[in-house]
Amino acid sequence: MAEDTRRLKNNSQKVVKSEKSLGIKKSDIFITGSIDIPFLSLTIALLTIGLIMLFSASYPYAYYYEDHNSYYYFERQLIFTVLGLICMFIMSKLNYKLLKAFTVILLIFTLGCLVLVLFYHTNVNDFKRWIPLFGGITFQPSDLAKFTLILTLASYINDYYKYMNKFKYGICYPLGVIIVFCVLIYCEHHMSCTILMFLIGAVLMFAGGSDMKLFIFGAAVIAVVVVAVITFPELIEDYAGERITAWLDKDYDPIGARWQTNNSLYAIGSGGLFGVGLGNSKQKYLYVAEPQNDFIFSIVCEELGFIGAVLIIILFAALVIRGFYIASKCNDKFGSLLVIGVVSQIGLQVIFNTLVVTDTLPNTGIALPFFSYGGTAMIILLFEVGVVLSVSRKSSQQKV
């Protein structure tokens, strides 16, 4: 017994010496401390409601278009969710600072995928957004690009924070990275994601200390561009220009460009204050095109009503606010910027999606986080939540 004890002691000493010789500590890889329970609880609540609503919204469409398998989208989304949760919990235990070491590798890989998808993609109209893999599974590089942009800018701003008030470091370099991403995604015919990427980058630049004058000037330029595009939709690509025309002219092509939006409004109007009841939507029966995707919120409004829709928006708002609170309590700038980027992405997508389904904005094709069908989006989104939880272990706020 004494001999076994000595052996264990010697082995542990060897491990410690090995770690010291390599310059590696356990804390460099794994992170201790409790995660932020409110942020995790809000995530699980939204994820649960999202899965329920995905099944409710998708089963008629799946039955007609997926070999009479009403569970097609739900089963696949459930698998993606489980994989995403595994990624989330693993990432929540890892030290988020490890991500900084992989910034350049991830940047090169993501840009490579964004170029590849322009030449090798699924044949869906004229959109070049999905790389076919195997078994009907596809990979959407633009979903990865959101996190890559967040990581790249967070790493850059962390290193050059003292110089962010200078034009060269605070404007030229980060804006150049944002423009590269936006151009590649625009070439996919993905206007909505292009706008989203630009806004995520702008939020991080603002949080990083870029010159405020830039944002005033940029807002003026954007306002001029928006007015020009609305006045002359033909200035941009046909598919996007037609959507703007359909948004401005409510009588334009009712069985074409306006079909999805009109039926979305019918669904929302049918829901009234309390909704028609879970599972009782009529518009999901092949009226709202692909109700499991970008327009799932219209089915939410129809089945759960105005009250249910508002409660879901409140949950999203609470998630974003809690995320910003975590960021504000984090003493590490890199971690704080990561959290700001992730929750800004979630918040902006929710805003865009709800404005689109209510016809407040043109149909832009932005997914609703935790609700819309999509494997790449779900796995990466839950991984990003894991990043926030990892940062929360080192933030100084009181865990509730």
Side-chain angles (χ1 to χ4, degrees):
M1 183 70 178
E3 184 178 351
D4 291 338
T5 303
R6 283 196 301 271
R7 285 178 181 175
L8 288 173
K9 185 176 181 181
N10 290 334
N11 288 335
S12 64
Q13 287 175 347
K14 288 179 181 178
V15 171
V16 172
K17 289 179 181 178
S18 176
E19 286 184 350
K20 288 181 178 179
S21 63
L22 293 173
I24 298 173
K25 298 179 182 178
K26 189 176 180 181
S27 59
D28 292 334
I29 300 175
F30 299 101
I31 195 166
T32 57
S34 60
I35 60 176
D36 190 79
I37 299 302
F39 192 87
L40 177 61
S41 300
L42 288 166
T43 298
I44 298 301
L46 286 166
L47 190 59
T48 303
I49 298 170
L51 284 171
I52 294 171
M53 290 310 308
L54 175 74
F55 174 65
S56 180
S58 68
Y59 70 79
Y61 191 88
Y63 179 84
Y64 282 104
Y65 289 102
E66 302 297 341
D67 297 327
H68 303 297
N69 180 9
S70 298
Y71 298 94
Y72 178 82
Y73 295 110
F74 176 73
E75 289 173 341
R76 291 167 69 91
Q77 189 77 341
L78 191 59
I79 293 172
F80 296 138
T81 301
V82 170
L83 293 175
L85 286 172
I86 293 172
C87 292
M88 181 185 80
F89 283 111
I90 291 175
M91 185 61 233
S92 70
K93 285 294 294 180
L94 294 176
N95 191 335
Y96 63 89
K97 293 181 181 180
L98 289 172
L99 293 171
K100 200 170 187 299
F102 294 95
T103 302
V104 175
I105 296 174
L106 185 60
L107 177 62
I108 293 172
F109 175 77
T110 304
L111 292 177
C113 290
L114 290 175
V115 173
L116 176 63
V117 77
L118 300 178
F119 304 97
Y120 177 67
H121 51 264
T122 55
N123 186 22
V124 180
N125 298 324
D126 196 28
F127 300 126
K128 306 170 183 178
R129 302 179 186 177
W130 300 274
I131 297 175
L133 298 178
F134 53 85
I137 297 176
T138 59
F139 169 65
Q140 189 167 0
S142 58
D143 286 325
L144 178 61
K146 298 169 191 173
F147 178 68
T148 302
L149 179 64
I150 292 169
L151 177 60
T152 303
L153 290 181
S155 180
Y156 172 82
I157 294 171
N158 179 74
D159 292 342
Y160 293 92
Y161 180 71
K162 294 181 179 179
Y163 307 100
M164 286 297 290
N165 60 343
K166 297 182 179 180
F167 182 78
K168 177 181 177 181
Y169 295 96
I171 306 295
C172 293
Y173 288 161
L175 190 59
V177 173
I178 296 169
I179 289 173
V180 169
F181 275 99
C182 289
V183 168
L184 288 173
I185 293 175
Y186 181 78
C187 291
E188 297 179 8
H189 294 174
H190 203 173
M191 176 66 76
S192 57
C193 189
T194 303
I195 298 172
L196 178 64
M197 293 288 286
F198 181 83
L199 292 177
I200 292 172
V203 169
L204 286 170
M205 288 175 65
F206 178 79
S210 293
D211 193 343
M212 180 63 70
K213 295 177 183 177
L214 167 72
F215 293 94
I216 298 174
F217 175 75
V221 171
I222 291 173
V224 171
V225 172
V226 169
V227 171
V229 168
I230 291 176
T231 307
F232 305 101
E234 63 274 9
L235 291 175
I236 56 178
E237 292 188 83
D238 291 342
Y239 83 96
E242 185 180 32
R243 290 181 178 183
I244 292 175
T245 301
W247 174 62
L248 294 171
D249 183 0
K250 309 306 179 185
D251 295 323
Y252 178 83
D253 196 11
I255 61 173
R258 285 286 308 180
W259 174 265
Q260 193 173 32
T261 301
N262 285 343
N263 282 284
S264 172
L265 295 176
Y266 297 153
I268 294 170
S270 300
L273 189 61
F274 298 105
V276 298
L278 183 64
N280 294 328
S281 164
K282 294 181 175 63
Q283 295 303 122
K284 66 186 176 186
Y285 286 91
L286 309 187
Y287 291 102
V288 175
E290 298 192 31
Q292 75 278 5
N293 285 331
D294 304 336
F295 277 73
I296 190 173
F297 192 67
S298 64
I299 307 302
V300 171
C301 292
E302 185 180 8
E303 295 190 348
L304 304 184
F306 177 78
I307 299 297
V310 168
L311 289 176
I312 289 172
I313 291 174
I314 289 174
L315 287 176
F316 273 117
L319 183 75
V320 172
I321 292 170
R322 187 65 186 182
F324 278 116
Y325 183 72
I326 292 171
S328 69
K329 294 298 181 179
C330 180
N331 297 322
D332 175 46
K333 188 161 293 295
F334 175 65
S336 179
L337 289 168
L338 282 177
V339 176
I340 290 172
V342 170
V343 296
S344 295
Q345 173 197 324
I346 295 173
L348 288 168
Q349 284 193 218
V350 172
I351 291 170
F352 279 142
N353 183 273
T354 53
L355 291 179
V356 166
V357 299
T358 56
D359 201 26
T360 309
L361 285 178
N363 187 348
T364 58
I366 283 284
L368 184 64
F370 304 112
F371 282 71
S372 295
Y373 174 75
T376 308
M378 180 62 78
I379 292 172
I380 293 176
L381 177 61
L382 289 175
F383 175 82
E384 291 177 330
V385 170
V387 173
V388 176
L389 293 176
S390 175
V391 175
S392 74
R393 292 181 188 274
K394 284 297 183 182
S395 57
S396 58
Q397 85 274 10
Q398 182 181 0
K399 309 298 191 296
V400 179

